[in-house]
Amino acid sequence: MILFYGANLEVLANQSKIDSLHQDLQTSKADTNKVWILRDLAFYHLEENLDSTLFYSQKGYVLARNLNFISGQIWNLYQKALALEFGDDFNEAMSTYRFALDLAEESNDLLSIAKLKNAIGAAYYYNSDYALATLAYQEAMEISDEIHYTEGLSHALNNLGIIYSNKKNYSKALEAYERSLSLKLASADTIGIINSNYNIGLLYAYLQEYDKSLNAFRQAKKLNPYTKTPRDQAVIQIGEGVALYL
């Protein structure tokens, strides 16, 4: 019951944000601020209405293009690509990601390149193309490291760890997870710390090192109440139970 209540509150908050953005859209001029309003509308519709995301992201892209506003073009294209990906139009999604990436590369926008490489890595991963996912994440990792983009670096490392673990290359997976965890600890990213500890706990369970597995799950569990995510708490408890049972 609590889960449903929390979900309903989130839906209401999301709808409130959409309503506010629609009001802003009605009074906005055709400038860069309107580009971001359209991008935000695309973002907030993503979970419930992909057609609306496609509509607003396309409008935002066209306006940004008319204004020669490269950043606005990139991030409206990104929202469009996500909607296409979620709608199972993988080829068109990848084409849109690549178009956004071309714009970022032409303008030497390294931060956007790093973010897009991570997004492309995720798209390939969920399409079960682990080789191209690995390549994209490695490129995201290198660029993020170069520009000191800690969040992007940690994200790439964590997802590389998942791929290595799936391939049973546990030593490389653990190296990636631990490096990601160190970055999350340095930036006090509670959710990131929880996720890293969960992945490390799961990896140690695969390696049959159950004391280390249990310790990692308990570290995740200790921090979890601060995130107010009951679902994650349940997942961590399952992992902890597996470590205790085995």
Side-chain angles (χ1 to χ4, degrees):
M1 187 65 67
I2 294 174
L3 285 173
F4 286 117
Y5 179 66
N8 286 337
L9 286 178
E10 186 175 343
V11 169
L12 288 172
N14 195 60
Q15 187 57 52
S16 176
K17 186 64 177 178
I18 289 172
D19 292 342
S20 176
L21 286 166
H22 275 296
Q23 290 179 358
D24 292 341
L25 188 63
Q26 291 175 3
T27 58
S28 64
K29 299 178 181 179
D31 56 14
T32 57
N33 183 58
K34 187 171 185 177
V35 171
W36 292 128
I37 292 172
L38 291 164
R39 191 284 310 269
D40 288 351
L41 278 167
F43 170 81
Y44 282 105
H45 277 294
L46 189 62
E47 293 294 328
E48 59 190 49
N49 193 327
L50 295 179
D51 287 340
S52 291
T53 293
L54 291 169
F55 174 77
Y56 288 114
S57 60
Q58 181 62 22
K59 287 194 70 171
Y61 164 71
V62 170
L63 177 57
R65 184 188 61 193
N66 292 340
L67 295 170
N68 196 29
F69 180 32
I70 302 299
S71 184
Q73 292 180 60
I74 290 169
W75 292 105
N76 274 283
L77 286 168
Y78 170 74
Q79 294 299 329
K80 180 180 179 180
L82 278 178
L84 290 165
E85 185 184 345
F86 291 178
D88 294 326
D89 192 346
F90 178 76
N91 290 334
E92 191 61 28
M94 290 307 304
S95 177
T96 305
Y97 279 131
R98 292 292 179 189
F99 185 22
L101 183 60
D102 286 345
L103 289 171
E105 289 175 342
E106 288 169 8
S107 58
N108 198 33
D109 181 352
L110 295 179
L111 179 59
S112 291
I113 293 170
K115 290 180 177 181
L116 288 165
K117 289 286 187 180
N118 269 326
I120 290 169
Y124 277 128
Y125 175 82
Y126 286 115
N127 201 50
S128 300
D129 192 332
Y130 300 131
L132 288 177
T134 298
L135 179 61
Y137 283 134
Q138 286 173 338
E139 291 172 344
M141 181 180 68
E142 291 169 5
I143 296 168
S144 297
D145 201 12
E146 177 186 345
I147 63 175
H148 306 293
Y149 172 40
T150 303
E151 182 181 354
L153 176 57
S154 179
H155 180 82
L157 284 164
N158 185 72
N159 290 336
L160 280 169
I162 292 170
I163 293 173
Y164 294 142
S165 182
N166 288 345
K167 292 181 175 180
K168 303 188 186 307
N169 190 340
Y170 296 132
S171 61
K172 289 191 73 172
L174 184 59
E175 181 183 345
Y177 285 149
E178 288 184 336
R179 188 178 175 198
S180 178
L181 176 59
S182 69
L183 292 168
K184 294 299 184 182
L185 287 167
S187 59
D189 179 355
T190 302
I191 293 175
I193 295 167
I194 290 169
N195 290 337
S196 292
N197 273 307
Y198 176 80
N199 287 332
I200 290 170
L202 200 58
L203 182 58
Y204 275 127
Y206 293 150
L207 293 170
Q208 299 183 349
E209 296 188 39
Y210 300 117
D211 288 343
K212 291 180 180 179
S213 175
L214 183 58
N215 179 63
F217 282 127
R218 284 178 170 171
Q219 290 297 317
K221 183 179 179 181
K222 182 169 65 176
L223 289 170
N224 189 260
Y226 298 105
T227 69
K228 299 180 181 179
T229 52
R231 177 184 174 277
D232 288 347
Q233 184 75 16
V235 169
I236 291 166
Q237 285 178 318
I238 290 169
E240 185 181 9
V242 169
L244 283 167
Y245 177 75
L246 295 171

